[in-house]
Amino acid sequence: YFYISSVLNRAWSHKPMLYVFIFIIYSFLLFIPNITNLSTATLLDLKPIIMLGILPYFFIFSKKVNVNLQDFSKCIVVVIYFYICVQLLLFQEIEGKILIRGDVGILALISFIFFIPFNSAELKNNFIWIVLVIGLFLIYQGRASIVVATIVLTYFVAFAIKHKLISKQIFPLFILLPLIISALMIQLMYMRAEDISNSWGVGVIESEARIMALYVFYEVLQQMSLMQLIFGSGFGIDYSENVECNFRFMCLHMQNIAIGNADTYPAVGFHNELIRVFLTTGLVGLMIFMISISSFWKSTTLDSSSEGLKNLLYMRSVVIIIMASMFSHGIIGTTITGFVLLFTLAVLYRKYLELQNV
């Protein structure tokens, strides 16, 4: 239904949506040989493609329903705090089976950018929501998400200052905002490194799954043929079959991934969405994927209004969140976070077109 309704409503007539359609069609052509062998690993590899394929439908939906993204962000924050309260009441702790640390961090960051004030009146209205979002960062303490937040907020502030979007009254706060988040990031990194050292007697590098996954990827890359480099290795591949553990922490990493994935090391195990796309669809698929995401990065125009510049800033910020999160566990492959990010991007792109009278 998602794809048919998108096609009938000519979503493909817009470049970003066209690139998404091309990527989906290309990926499903590669997926056809796996139809008779739908293993858990195969479905995990297919999930990001299905998620991305819903983006054009969100684009069509945003035309039919007027969405206020600030209200949407408030709902996200309220739902997360409700989830925390329920967990504390039932289990006396916050478990991560439904919302993991990284997901909450990205969801909080998406909400945060719509609460950033441009004048004193907005600061007064959004102050409590800013405090609540910072509270989520402190509660969940996700390393990857706080790094992404630092990158996004630094760009957000630089863009707003360059285009004179903020009032003089809150200029000092605007400068302090990324500094506060950066301080939280440094403190969090130090605390987590100290905790890991005291608990396991190892450094951050040895315990970091993303770094260990790069060692595995290097081993896999050396064994790929030219055709696999161009068109990918396919879906549902167990990458542990031909990889030898070179040292203890790499072995432990591979074992931990296998435990949660039916004794296999699928593409999702690399904790990197770009590697995941490359391994399943090759350089061709990765190129189309990168073009589809980067096509949402629009240029400013000389006659851009304040509203147009703000919408452009929000859209660019979401693109940065998506791309920066690719180097973590990925966001396209995580259902809740992926839905929110892609929905937000679709709504912003729709508004961009309306402001450009396209």
Side-chain angles (χ1 to χ4, degrees), residues 82-295:
F82 178 76
Y83 168 78
I84 291 173
C85 292
V86 170
Q87 294 299 311
L88 291 174
L89 287 172
L90 295 179
F91 308 108
Q92 289 74 54
E93 64 178 358
I94 304 173
E95 57 86 36
K97 292 182 179 179
I98 299 176
L99 286 176
I100 63 175
R101 181 185 289 119
D103 287 338
V104 173
I106 296 301
L107 290 172
L109 178 56
I110 299 168
S111 303
F112 194 39
I113 62 174
F114 295 104
F115 298 140
I116 298 176
F118 293 97
N119 53 59
S120 55
E122 291 181 2
L123 175 61
K124 182 179 179 180
N125 293 332
N126 298 340
F127 181 77
I128 184 63
W129 296 102
I130 294 173
V131 172
L132 288 173
V133 171
I134 293 176
L136 291 177
F137 284 131
L138 294 173
I139 292 171
Y140 279 88
Q141 301 183 1
R143 288 178 295 177
S145 56
I146 200 71
V147 170
V148 175
T150 304
I151 296 171
V152 171
L153 292 178
T154 300
Y155 176 81
F156 195 102
V157 168
F159 183 99
I161 292 175
K162 178 182 178 181
H163 294 281
K164 301 178 180 179
L165 295 176
I166 57 173
S167 63
K168 294 181 180 179
Q169 293 89 341
I170 65 165
F171 187 83
L173 175 64
F174 226 77
I175 297 297
L176 283 174
L177 191 58
L179 296 179
I180 293 172
I181 298 299
S182 298
L184 287 175
M185 177 188 69
I186 294 171
Q187 178 66 19
L188 176 58
M189 291 294 185
Y190 175 78
M191 290 172 57
R192 293 294 297 275
E194 188 176 41
D195 180 59
I196 290 171
S197 178
N198 294 335
S199 301
W200 302 97
V202 298
V204 174
I205 293 178
E206 293 92 341
S207 66
E208 180 54 62
R210 298 170 187 86
I211 297 177
M212 294 301 105
L214 291 177
Y215 283 103
V216 180
F217 176 62
Y218 176 73
E219 295 291 330
V220 171
L221 193 62
Q222 289 182 311
Q223 301 176 35
M224 293 178 69
S225 66
L226 179 60
M227 290 297 290
Q228 287 175 326
L229 289 172
I230 297 174
F231 299 108
S233 300
F235 298 80
I237 305 298
D238 180 6
Y239 293 96
S240 66
E241 292 181 348
N242 300 316
V243 174
E244 295 183 4
C245 296
N246 294 322
F247 49 92
R248 183 166 66 94
F249 293 108
M250 180 177 172
C251 296
L252 290 174
H253 162 71
M254 294 178 69
Q255 290 171 8
N256 289 334
I257 296 297
I259 290 173
N261 293 282
D263 294 325
T264 64
Y265 192 103
V268 69
F270 290 93
H271 286 69
N272 188 308
E273 205 78 53
L274 297 178
I275 291 177
R276 189 177 181 181
V277 172
F278 166 71
L279 290 175
T280 53
T281 63
L283 289 171
V284 174
L286 181 60
M287 180 183 68
I288 301 172
F289 178 80
M290 292 294 290
I291 291 174
S292 65
I293 299 299
S294 62
S295 61

